Amino acid sequence: KKTVRVQAGVKVSQLVEFLRPYKLTLQNYASIAEQQIGGFVQVGAHGTGMGIPPVDMQVLSMKILTPALGLIELNEEKNPILFKLARVALGSLGVMVEATIQCVDAHLLKEQTFVSTAEQIRANHDEWLRSHQHLRYMWIPYSESVIVVWSDPAEADEAVGESTVFSEEEALAAPRAMLRSARPEIEDEQLKELSFTQIRDELIHLKPLDAEHIRKVNHAEAEYWRKKEGMRVDWSDKILGFDCGGQQWVSEVAFPCGSKEKPSTSDLDFIDDVKKIIEEEKIPAPAPIEQRWTSASSSYLSPVWSSDMESVFSWVGIIMYLPPAGEEGDEERERITEAFQGYQQQLETNLWERYGAFEHWAKIEATSPLLQQKKERIQRRIPMEMYESTKKLLDPQHILSNDAIDTILSN
């Protein structure tokens, strides 16, 4: 059957290692693997690939502990409606304690990375999206550069390994020189120990809210990736996870972009509009703007719920990096937080409604000044009567709620 029964507190990374001796793995992975399975499923986490749904669709059955009815087991055969409602419900209908997950055979992926342009992507996007099992774009604000990363099952004779145009040392030479110029006091040994994402964080922290400075850092990132063009082969969990950098604010939305048979151009149009707003408003937007794809989910509260399983959705995430917390960094963190909220609100006000975008549950902030607008938009998308009647049945005293859930998921 290739299934695994796992408690909800287990981390994804732990589950991966448990499955390895059995030559099994999960169908897809998010960018990081330190989430617990309960949260991983309940927020509808996702990887990328137009033919692959979010991770909640890998769950075949689950047990949840409810305040009113105690422990109940849910699956598609016994109670399909409740199962589809509770599978992505932020723990608000019951605490997930166990899940049975569909696995796949462990497999090697061959990943190709190269730098493209918006024009080249327009010309090739439909083919790339259809022909590659996994695809993601990393758009560089204030630049025409786009880092393209795709991966597909490796051939039988291919082994774990990497081949790039330049070595990591050569690729890091320019970013190191840029940081050395800005911070001449930095020690050589300290500089050599920094990865690219750490160097990028250091450069951004010099002037995090200066759009011109951020533009220069973004161009340095594009040059780094030009030197890292190439391929690598590794196990799927190693390929699909990646280094996201240091502490950060992230906002991510999903929106429909056609079907597997006929993708639309709304995914690329959305990015064009995001970049236009950034440039017009002079937003200090660091790289990358990350774009991924999944197929639909049948979980009613999923950001990519659809009655048509042939639907395709694009996920787009924006980011701002935060300096380490502490006396010197706290005021800067507050200023960056305020700037990020303004950045997000520009996109939310101007684009989300037009594109039918639904915010990733794990990225919604209860302190957002647009929380009421989020509520109205979300409640138009999900079956509120079904949710509220189920909430009254399973958790009538709202024990499994908080201010954000009660604001967004309550009338």
Side-chain angles (χ1 to χ4, degrees), residues 385-396:
E385 287 188 18
M386 184 193 300
Y387 174 82
E388 287 193 310
S389 63
T390 305
K391 181 74 171 173
K392 288 177 183 176
L393 174 67
L394 301 181
D395 183 22

Side-chain angles (χ1 to χ4, degrees), residues 316-330:
V316 174
I318 60 169
I319 194 166
M320 275 191 180
Y321 300 94
L322 292 163
E327 290 184 9
E328 295 182 2
D330 286 349

